[in-house]
Amino acid sequence: MIKKIIITLFILGFLSPFLVFGYYYIKFNYDVSELVDYKPAQTTRIYDKDGEKIANIFDEKHRYYASFEEIPPRVIEALVAIEDTTFFEHPGVNIDAIFRAAIKVLKAGHAVEGASTITQQLVKNVLLTREKKLSRKIKEAIYAIKIEKLLTKEQILERYLNEIYFGHGYYGIKTAADGYFHKKLSELTLKEIAILVGLPKAPSSYAPTKNYEISMGRGNRVITRMHVLGWIDDETYEKALAENPVVYDDTLTQNKAPFIVDEVARRMRDLGITDLRTGGYEIHTTIDLKLQNAAKESLTYAYDQFLQRVDKYKENEEKYPPQQKEGEDHLLLAKDINISKVNGAIVSIEPSSGDILALVGSVDYTVSSYNRATQGRRQPGSAFKPFIYQVALNLGYSGVTQLVDIAKTYDYEKDGEEMKWQPNNYEKNYKGLIPLREALIHSRNLATINLVNDIGLPQLISELKKFNIENLPNDLSISLGTMSISPLQLAQYYTSFSNYGTQVNTHLISSIYKNEEKIYQKEDKREVVSPATQAFIMTTILRDVVQHGTGRGARVKGIELAGKTGTTNNNMDGWFAGYSPTIETVVWFGNDDNTPMYRRETGGRIAAPGFRYFFGKVLELYPQIKREFDMPEGVREVTIDGKKEYFSEISKPPTTENHSDAAEELLF
């Protein structure tokens, strides 16, 4: 009788795990669709034009997805060696391991962690909690068996190596390879592979950024296991043990250009892409990170120069109190300047393509993330004058055409009341007659207004619309650039000059990939708005602006630069818009609340130094850059009264007696 009882108990003891397993298998409905239809949230990567990473964008988990084809065989070998040697033989669970785990439970008297297969680890991470209970282990085994019936071993490995946490905020082995070693999976050494596959067991303890020596030791155990199994030879074994890889301790986002990241996100929304943080996009931009950094430095430099001048203004005003001049609306004293209101923006593009090379929307992103380069709408002031003069050149005016530089009073009606407008030159003087070239070089307001009158406002506006300029005022204030535009818009409009009469749309995103498939490619849009000859003549005038006009503060030795200053009423805005033969840059400064900066802060004083600093950096970074403008066919250079002048079939030479010799030189 006792013998029967013992035999019965032995049979029940032997069968009970299977009975419990069968109970759970039958009772519960196990939904494995999350693993079968595995679509994890993936990190979006943003790159500059040369492939350097600008930033990672993700929601909760930082993950780059790697297809099985991307994963080197050595990674699979190392993983299987240390985690699940019989992976390719078992049906999802390892019976021997289950019994070993059961024995551990009996010895410990409580639940302990057992040796799970790779499939079970994947199940635990995706479908279950990490609680150490027998019921969870049973469910884990059941899930694993079901998964193995629905997925191939390769699919399971692909999911495992993309799902598992590798420490330091890295999910997936591709993410960890990039983060710890700055390498693609195909570039990893055996030691680096061993370190990575050894991490999932205890990522916090083994992370090489936290515990380098412990991590190396764990990697060596993986290598030793591979050697014991005969999967690597002695030479490979010794070489791998001796290696000490360089490990990088990067931030997860790696955001090197926050204004670019913000603008990319905005443009992705415009394209209808709403899953930027989870979609795993690969976004290639037109940005040059070296120039982006140079632009940021340039803006900071110009701002620091402004702060130094403010200190001098305050010191001088204490010694020599200024007097309000007749006609001034107010007298802003240096002591009243609120430097916290002053901010700036800079944008640089390649005029031949419209590619945005650099874009910075404030002096300090951590203080203000508002992007003034793209969202700020300010009056360009005299930086707009070149468009008026370009229209004149296109209509047959030339650099030697005489303009009237005298004061006039204009009557107009506002809200039913008769008003008078009495514009002045910045210098408060008049030249009488002045050549067109000199009028723009020295930014003469009165000559410009009289030029507008000479062309005729209706015709001028009609011609200006060809430049695609928005919000053109239908009155004489157009002469002084009173419309509101952003620095990026002004940069696009200026390609009409810098690109020899062909205006191009600007681009920030050049291409977008998802799952290695290109889903977006930039499209160049260009429009001829002026003959190349006339645009070049404008460039020669703007080149003179920099050489000996209002833009002298923008000069850089060793390269030809052309550009125009812009200062609005009461010094509310200071601009410099200009270009070299291959790069165009716009700099803006002003108070965010549209109050005056200071009466001495003109575009030539506050913005031009930033432009100069930027092109100085350009020459350092790219000394081989093109440095002189090309003169297109159909333009003739002639010396008149000791000065160089340029003519074309449209802008013909003068026929007066004084200039007859020059006229004879031109044979068109």
Side-chain angles (χ1 to χ4, degrees):
M1 183 67 178
I2 294 175
K3 185 177 180 181
K4 288 183 179 181
I5 292 173
I6 293 173
I7 293 173
T8 301
L9 290 174
F10 176 79
I11 293 173
L12 289 174
F14 178 79
L15 293 177
S16 59
F18 298 98
L19 294 174
V20 172
F21 184 86
Y23 168 78
Y24 276 94
Y25 193 92
I26 295 170
K27 181 177 181 180
F28 295 100
N29 177 30
Y30 295 93
D31 182 9
V32 295
S33 59
E34 189 175 351
L35 264 178
V36 174
D37 303 320
Y38 183 62
K39 295 178 181 178
Q42 299 178 43
T43 296
T44 288
R45 288 161 285 173
I46 302 176
Y47 297 96
D48 85 339
K49 71 182 187 65
D50 296 319
E52 184 174 350
K53 191 189 298 175
I54 294 176
N56 295 314
I57 300 179
F58 55 91
D59 190 7
E60 296 179 358
K61 295 181 178 180
H62 174 31
R63 175 186 289 112
Y64 300 151
Y65 195 88
S67 64
F68 186 78
E69 289 71 28
E70 284 184 76
I71 302 170
R74 275 292 193 213
V75 170
I76 304 300
E77 292 172 359
L79 173 66
V80 170
I82 197 65
E83 289 292 341
D84 189 358
T85 309
T86 62
F87 173 74
F88 287 101
E89 302 164 13
H90 63 62
V93 295
N94 186 322
I95 301 301
D96 291 339
I98 290 175
F99 275 103
R100 287 197 301 270
I103 292 171
K104 288 181 181 179
V105 170
L106 292 174
K107 287 183 177 181
H110 57 82
V112 296
E113 187 65 36
S116 298
T117 65
I118 287 174
T119 311
Q120 287 175 278
Q121 291 178 46
L122 177 61
V123 165
K124 179 176 63 179
N125 274 273
V126 178
L127 303 177
L128 297 173
T129 65
R130 290 180 173 271
E131 61 180 348
K132 295 179 179 180
K133 290 183 178 180
L134 180 60
S135 60
R136 196 268 293 165
K137 290 295 293 182
I138 293 173
K139 291 177 184 178
E140 180 184 292
I142 294 171
Y143 270 123
I145 292 171
K146 287 181 175 290
I147 287 294
E148 293 263 357
K149 291 180 179 179
L150 297 171
L151 299 175
T152 65
K153 292 288 187 178
E154 291 77 13
Q155 289 173 323
I156 291 170
L157 287 170
E158 178 178 323
R159 285 158 173 74
Y160 177 90
L161 287 169
N162 281 291
E163 177 64 29
I164 296 298
Y165 182 57
F166 286 81
H168 200 81
Y170 301 142
Y171 288 84
I173 195 166
K174 184 175 181 177
T175 321
D178 178 84
Y180 288 128
F181 305 119
H182 289 187
K183 289 184 177 182
K184 298 178 181 178
L185 289 173
S186 60
E187 299 170 339
L188 294 172
T189 65
L190 177 57
K191 183 61 165 284
E192 291 165 344
I193 289 172
I195 291 169
L196 292 180
V197 300
L199 285 170
K201 183 177 181 63
S204 296
S205 300
Y206 293 142
T209 50
K210 288 185 177 180
N211 302 301
Y212 185 84
E213 294 301 327
I214 293 176
S215 182
M216 294 304 108
R218 174 65 172 166
N220 288 341
R221 285 196 290 276
V222 174
I223 293 165
T224 300
R225 176 64 175 162
M226 294 178 73
H227 186 246
V228 168
L229 292 171
W231 293 358
I232 56 174
D233 59 27
D234 292 346
E235 182 181 352
T236 304
Y237 170 67
E238 295 294 339
K239 182 180 178 182
L241 287 181
E243 184 186 349
N244 292 299
V246 174
V247 174
Y248 296 89
D249 189 2
D250 293 335
T251 61
L252 297 188
T253 59
Q254 298 182 26
N255 194 337
K256 299 174 183 176
F259 280 111
I260 301 304
V261 173
D262 290 353
E263 184 64 14
V264 165
R266 187 188 68 79
R267 295 189 181 212
M268 291 286 279
R269 290 193 296 272
D270 290 344
L271 291 172
I273 297 173
T274 58
D275 61 338
L276 179 65
R277 293 185 174 277
T278 59
Y281 297 96
E282 187 176 297
I283 304 170
H284 295 268
T285 72
T286 59
I287 292 297
D288 181 326
L289 266 179
K290 293 187 286 294
L291 292 182
Q292 177 71 16
N293 292 332
K296 185 175 182 296
E297 285 181 28
S298 302
L299 204 61
T300 301
Y301 169 81
Y303 181 73
D304 289 344
Q305 293 291 302
F306 162 74
L307 295 182
Q308 292 177 26
R309 288 194 300 274
V310 169
D311 289 339
K312 290 181 180 179
Y313 295 154
K314 291 178 180 179
E315 182 180 334
N316 289 336
E317 284 183 358
E318 289 178 0
K319 295 179 180 178
Y320 311 105
Q323 301 296 317
Q324 185 161 346
K325 296 179 182 179
E326 184 178 351
E328 280 188 332
D329 296 334
H330 64 282
L331 179 61
L332 178 66
L333 299 176
K335 66 181 180 63
D336 298 321
I337 297 175
N338 185 346
I339 60 174
S340 67
K341 294 181 180 179
V342 178
N343 223 307
I346 183 172
V347 58
S348 188
I349 69 173
E350 182 181 64
S352 61
S353 64
D355 288 351
I356 299 172
L357 301 174
L359 186 150
V360 182
S362 76
V363 173
D364 187 344
Y365 182 89
T366 61
V367 175
S368 174
S369 61
Y370 177 65
N371 193 336
R372 294 155 185 83
T374 60
Q375 297 171 280
R377 298 291 190 273
R378 304 293 287 243
Q379 293 183 8
S382 295
F384 181 74
K385 286 178 181 174
F387 296 97
I388 296 173
Y389 284 74
Q390 185 70 71
V391 168
L393 293 174
N394 294 351
L395 293 175
Y397 290 68
S398 74
V400 297
T401 300
Q402 295 293 308
L403 303 182
V404 177
D405 187 47
I406 61 174
K408 287 185 180 180
T409 299
Y410 298 91
D411 296 323
Y412 67 98
E413 186 176 300
K414 182 179 180 181
D415 299 328
E417 183 180 351
E418 291 293 327
M419 307 290 288
K420 292 185 183 296
W421 181 43
Q422 296 177 305
N424 288 302
N425 287 321
Y426 181 80
E427 299 86 350
K428 309 297 183 186
N429 60 19
Y430 319 106
K431 298 290 186 180
L433 290 177
I434 185 172
L436 179 146
R437 177 177 291 271
E438 293 299 314
L440 185 53
I441 288 173
H442 299 290
S443 199
R444 306 293 289 185
N445 291 338
L446 298 177
T448 305
I449 294 169
N450 289 323
L451 174 60
V452 170
N453 277 325
D454 191 35
I455 295 171
L457 190 58
Q459 183 176 13
L460 176 67
I461 292 176
S462 176
E463 293 295 323
L464 286 174
K465 286 180 179 178
K466 296 177 182 178
F467 293 88
N468 305 303
I469 300 170
E470 299 176 356
N471 306 315
L472 290 169
N474 191 26
D475 55 50
L476 284 177
S477 69
I478 195 173
S479 311
L480 307 181
T482 55
M483 72 291 296
S484 294
I485 57 178
S486 70
L488 181 58
Q489 284 178 307
L490 188 61
Q492 177 173 315
Y493 299 154
Y494 258 66
T495 61
S496 306
F497 314 131
S498 57
N499 196 36
Y500 293 88
T502 298
Q503 187 179 116
V504 295
N505 281 14
T506 56
H507 309 282
L508 178 62
I509 298 174
S510 57
S511 61
I512 303 172
Y513 290 82
K514 182 169 178 137
N515 299 327
E516 300 183 2
E517 179 183 351
K518 184 183 289 187
I519 62 172
Y520 172 83
Q521 177 66 44
K522 72 171 185 178
E523 293 183 7
D524 289 338
K525 294 181 180 179
R526 51 189 64 234
E527 181 180 356
V528 176
V529 294
S530 294
T533 56
Q534 305 311 102
F536 176 75
I537 293 174
M538 173 54 64
T539 291
T540 68
I541 298 174
L542 296 179
R543 183 175 59 191
D544 285 349
V545 170
V546 175
Q547 286 301 310
H548 50 266
T550 59
R552 293 186 301 276
R555 283 182 296 188
V556 176
K557 186 178 180 181
I559 188 170
E560 286 190 339
L561 298 170
K564 184 68 184 73
T565 53
T567 308
T568 56
N569 281 346
N570 298 322
N571 303 79
M572 290 184 183
D573 302 275
W575 296 79
F576 193 87
Y579 50 95
S580 73
T582 57
I583 295 176
E584 181 194 307
T585 302
V586 174
V587 182
W588 169 86
F589 275 94
N591 287 341
D592 283 333
D593 61 358
N594 281 295
T595 56
M597 289 183 290
Y598 188 68
R599 63 184 179 280
R600 297 181 183 176
E601 292 304 313
T602 62
R605 180 162 294 192
I606 193 168
F611 180 93
R612 181 184 68 241
Y613 187 98
F614 179 76
F615 274 94
K617 298 296 290 186
V618 168
L619 292 184
E620 287 181 22
L621 293 167
Y622 300 107
Q624 76 284 3
I625 195 171
K626 184 176 177 60
R627 299 188 180 213
E628 295 182 353
F629 294 107
D630 292 327
M631 186 167 69
E633 185 178 348
V635 176
R636 288 290 301 275
E637 178 186 298
V638 177
T639 300
I640 299 178
D641 299 333
K643 297 180 180 180
K644 289 182 179 180
E645 193 50 76
Y646 300 84
F647 299 99
S648 68
E649 276 283 12
I650 298 172
S651 295
K652 296 184 183 298
T655 56
T656 64
E657 185 177 341
N658 291 338
H659 301 312
S660 59
D661 292 340
E664 289 177 4
E665 291 184 32
L666 296 169
L667 299 175
F668 292 105

